[in-house]
Amino acid sequence: NAGVTQTPKFQVLKTGQSMTLQCAQDMNHEYMSWYRQDPGMGLRLIHYSVGAGITDQGEVPNGYNVSRSTTEDFPLRLLSAAPSQTSVYFCASSYKDGSSGNTIYFGEGSWLTVV
Amino acid sequence: AQSVSQHNHHVILSEAASLELGCNYSYGGTVNLFWYVQYPGQHLQLLLKYFSGDPLVKGIKGFEAEFIKSKFSFNLRKPSVQWSDTAEYFCAVNAQSSGDKLTFGTGTRLAVRP
């Protein structure tokens, strides 16, 4: 059971390049999301998905696209990278805990630098 | 929309000292509350969570947190910290009406001196 797997772990991009951060989970979780972590700002939600074929915007969606063609995969695409997108990106997935809440588990992070 | 405040940005303690990290949230409805820890260079790990029931919840590694609804608080505590507790700690809130979206505080960096 690999949990939440993100690739690549490190990436350097030039301004204007596009790339995709991959995220996969093998726990059959319905809910998946992408966060970015910046110093002094905690984690902010970029996009999320409540199931295959359904995605929605989070707090900071501009400059990013997502799709959810399968339950397992939730890739994050940077359309035209900008230095402001230099950050650490975390993918997460969650399941219903059996009580009233959901527990969210995070991948190991992808460190992205845009120069 | 919910928001989370962590008032201590940096905390420095000596080993064996007691720890309390503050977390306050703003939201009028029912919430789920979490504390996550991030060790240097690593991803977030769940320390503990509160959904309902006993407001005093115990987590891993000797941490506990108390939900005080009247104060909108969910402070994290540990009676005696260790050098290995050096990490960044994040409080997070999930409004039950918002699905699985988490709102995070800005984090508290804890440094424990041996």
Side-chain angles (χ1 to χ4, degrees):
Chain A
N1 187 337
V4 181
T5 304
Q6 289 181 233
T7 56
K9 194 171 179 69
F10 299 98
Q11 182 72 51
V12 178
L13 284 179
K14 293 182 179 178
T15 298
Q17 285 185 315
S18 62
M19 78 155 296
T20 299
L21 299 177
Q22 302 291 344
C23 177
Q25 53 92 7
D26 59 0
M27 298 172 283
N28 203 33
H29 290 176
E30 288 296 321
Y31 188 92
M32 296 185 74
S33 52
W34 277 101
Y35 292 83
R36 58 177 290 173
Q37 182 181 23
D38 301 292
M41 302 187 76
L43 280 83
R44 294 178 292 167
L45 181 65
I46 304 171
H47 285 285
Y48 65 99
S49 168
V50 299
I54 307 169
T55 64
D56 206 345
Q57 296 181 349
E59 183 184 352
V60 288
N62 293 341
Y64 307 95
N65 271 359
V66 291
S67 59
R68 185 91 181 274
S69 55
T70 66
T71 299
E72 293 78 20
D73 300 300
F74 191 46
L76 178 73
R77 279 182 285 277
L78 281 72
L79 309 172
S80 176
S84 61
Q85 292 178 303
T86 294
S87 187
V88 184
Y89 292 84
F90 288 96
C91 180
S93 73
S94 66
Y95 72 100
K96 248 200 192 314
D97 199 74
S99 56
S100 57
N102 294 359
T103 298
I104 299 174
Y105 292 89
F106 289 85
E108 295 192 346
S110 296
W111 274 254
L112 176 66
T113 301
V114 183
V115 298
Chain B
Q2 62 266 32
S3 65
V4 180
S5 296
Q6 291 181 246
H7 304 294
N8 310 106
H9 297 296
H10 290 91
V11 174
I12 302 174
L13 294 173
S14 298
E15 274 194 317
S18 64
L19 170 71
E20 181 161 2
L21 301 182
C23 173
N24 288 90
Y25 69 93
S26 65
Y27 183 72
T30 304
V31 294
N32 301 317
L33 298 155
F34 305 82
W35 275 98
Y36 284 87
V37 60
Q38 186 177 32
Y39 298 102
Q42 296 189 25
H43 64 293
L44 285 88
Q45 301 174 39
L46 182 67
L47 265 183
L48 47 79
K49 61 191 178 188
Y50 172 81
F51 290 163
S52 62
D54 188 345
L56 183 63
V57 292
K58 295 191 184 299
I60 60 172
K61 306 187 181 188
F63 287 90
E64 66 178 30
E66 184 175 13
F67 171 49
I68 303 179
K69 189 174 182 180
S70 61
K71 296 184 178 180
F72 296 90
S73 70
F74 190 55
N75 292 353
L76 181 71
R77 299 195 291 250
K78 186 171 184 179
S80 177
V81 294
Q82 300 172 317
W83 177 78
S84 57
D85 293 324
T86 295
E88 191 160 14
Y89 293 81
F90 293 93
C91 181
V93 169
N94 161 236
Q96 288 189 9
S97 63
S98 71
D100 290 8
K101 288 187 283 186
L102 276 177
T103 299
F104 283 85
T106 53
T108 298
R109 286 186 183 273
L110 171 67
V112 180
R113 292 185 294 226

